[in-house]
Amino acid sequence: MQSPLTDVNASEPSATPPDGSPKAKGNGRRDRWADHREQRRQELVGAAVQALLRHGPEVDMEQVAAAAGVSKPVLYRYFADKSQLWVAVSEVVAARMVDTIAPAVEQVREERGLVEATIDAYLGVIESEPRLYRFLMHQSGDPGIHQVIAGTSRQVAAGLARVIGDRLRTLGLDAGPAEPWAYGLVGFVQAVGDWWTTHGQPISRAALTDYLTALLWSGIEGVRASADLPHELTRAHERIVP
């Protein structure tokens, strides 16, 4: 009898078989096996996160397997090596960051509040799991993890650039700075967040958010009001803002 794994690797028929046929039942088994495998994989990723938080950055596959309640050979059925497992963990953390930051940015309508909300949301993710964040950032030399982190930064920056661009256009200003400002904001907060966790969060999240917002907003406001901006754009802003 063929195993489920053999069925997963079987080639698909060229035509859809009638319901109830052996081939249709085989397709159903493949689908159920794929769903089960993905669910099991996510459970193992969750166990890896818990093992990392419990044992620190030197956690090994045996400790992960113990946290998952499985043997190491079972773990290796889902992940070829430790690096592949940490990439999967980084994807979970990255998705959490995007899910937290994106709604916070979209809900803000006042410009300074936009900067503040972005910083606070990012720091909030770090604050919830500082050891996990620090570990992943310090593993960014791994090509797979670096790709995930870079992709997440681009995703957050792209959404932020869109919102900043909309705000600038509403004020009658050139939206050209939106994208570099967004990427600069994300990179800046990443660097400070790394410092914050490495030094054991020496100041509160609220205080750090205020400090960074004051610095970044002063820069944006200064550039916007600068004499280097076209005079008609500066005048447009002055007509709108009391």
Side-chain angles (χ1 to χ4, degrees), residues 165-187:
D166 289 344
R167 302 293 187 274
L168 291 174
R169 283 186 287 270
T170 298
L171 292 172
L173 298 172
D174 178 16
E179 190 167 3
W181 280 354
Y183 274 85
L185 174 58
V186 170

Side-chain angles (χ1 to χ4, degrees), residues 134-205:
R134 186 168 64 248
F135 171 79
L136 292 177
M137 292 301 293
H138 290 177
Q139 293 293 317
S140 59
D142 180 289
I145 294 179
H146 174 77
Q147 187 175 18
V148 172
I149 294 174
T152 302
S153 298
R154 286 194 298 270
Q155 188 174 353
V156 172
L160 187 58
R162 184 179 65 254
V163 176
I164 292 175
D166 289 344
R167 302 293 187 274
L168 291 174
R169 283 186 287 270
T170 298
L171 292 172
L173 298 172
D174 178 16
E179 190 167 3
W181 280 354
Y183 274 85
L185 174 58
V186 170
F188 180 75
V189 177
Q190 275 186 346
V192 175
D194 193 28
W195 166 84
W196 192 47
T197 55
T198 300
H199 290 79
Q201 300 179 14
I203 59 178
S204 70
R205 168 182 161 191

Side-chain angles (χ1 to χ4, degrees), residues 26-203:
N27 289 340
R29 286 197 299 272
R30 280 195 295 272
D31 292 341
R32 287 193 299 273
W33 174 251
D35 290 344
H36 168 75
R37 182 175 177 81
E38 179 57 26
Q39 180 181 352
R40 189 63 173 138
R41 187 176 185 276
Q42 292 305 316
E43 291 171 355
L44 294 173
V45 171
V49 170
Q50 294 307 313
L52 173 60
L53 294 176
R54 185 178 306 130
H55 300 288
E58 300 305 318
V59 63
D60 56 33
M61 293 294 270
E62 186 171 348
Q63 291 167 325
V64 173
V70 301
S71 64
K72 283 176 63 178
V74 170
L75 196 60
Y76 281 114
R77 292 178 192 170
Y78 295 85
F79 304 98
D81 53 28
K82 187 176 180 179
S83 176
Q84 191 177 89
L85 175 59
W86 292 142
V87 169
V89 170
S90 72
E91 290 170 347
V92 171
V93 178
R96 186 184 306 171
M97 294 185 71
V98 172
D99 290 344
T100 301
I101 296 171
V105 171
E106 292 291 346
Q107 290 173 7
V108 175
R109 290 295 175 267
E110 192 272 323
E111 291 177 77
R112 192 180 192 280
L114 172 64
V115 175
E116 183 177 16
T118 303
I119 294 171
D120 184 65
Y122 193 96
L123 294 179
V125 175
I126 299 174
E127 186 178 48
S128 65
E129 296 290 358
R131 294 181 65 189
L132 180 60
Y133 175 85
R134 186 168 64 248
F135 171 79
L136 292 177
M137 292 301 293
H138 290 177
Q139 293 293 317
S140 59
D142 180 289
I145 294 179
H146 174 77
Q147 187 175 18
V148 172
I149 294 174
T152 302
S153 298
R154 286 194 298 270
Q155 188 174 353
V156 172
L160 187 58
R162 184 179 65 254
V163 176
I164 292 175
D166 289 344
R167 302 293 187 274
L168 291 174
R169 283 186 287 270
T170 298
L171 292 172
L173 298 172
D174 178 16
E179 190 167 3
W181 280 354
Y183 274 85
L185 174 58
V186 170
F188 180 75
V189 177
Q190 275 186 346
V192 175
D194 193 28
W195 166 84
W196 192 47
T197 55
T198 300
H199 290 79
Q201 300 179 14
I203 59 178

Side-chain angles (χ1 to χ4, degrees), residues 115 119 181 184-186 188-189 210-222:
V115 175
I119 294 171
W181 280 354
L185 174 58
V186 170
F188 180 75
V189 177
D210 286 344
Y211 294 157
L212 299 185
T213 300
L215 176 62
L216 290 170
W217 177 244
S218 296
I220 293 174
E221 181 70 6

